[in-house]
Amino acid sequence: MSQQERREAAVRRLLDAGAPASLPPDLHADAVRRGSRALRRRTAGRRLLWLLLLAAAVAFSVWAATAQPWVEPPSRTTPPLTRW
């Protein structure tokens, strides 16, 4: 008998037992508490990521406004004088 067949047989025995297993009375409150904590953490993480993205966009905009990378830099040498 393979491991999978043993697992299936164990599940069938549990399901055929009829009466569902009793759960601890505070399980629902515990699950709600943990779920709300996870939701708060996820929301805080999402807000932090949006704040970082906004800060990066502002920093890039300030840099682009001051450095103006799209403008060609001035020439450091003078052009040759050919027509005098």
Side-chain angles (χ1 to χ4, degrees), residues 5-41:
E5 291 172 350
R6 277 186 257 151
R7 286 182 187 169
E8 287 177 3
V11 169
R12 284 195 179 96
R13 280 194 307 273
L14 287 173
L15 292 176
D16 289 341
S22 62
L23 298 175
D26 60 342
L27 182 66
H28 178 265
D30 211 22
V32 168
R33 183 176 48 81
R34 288 183 183 190
S36 62
R37 184 187 313 155
L39 185 61
R40 281 193 311 269
R41 284 182 182 172

Side-chain angles (χ1 to χ4, degrees), residues 2 5 7 10 30 32 34 40 45 47-48 50-51 54 58 60-61 64-65 69 72 77 80-82:
S2 71
E5 291 172 350
R7 286 182 187 169
D30 211 22
V32 168
R34 288 183 183 190
R40 281 193 311 269
R47 285 182 182 166
L48 179 65
W50 276 112
L51 183 66
L54 178 67
V58 168
F60 176 76
S61 299
E72 184 176 326
T77 61
L81 296 174
T82 56

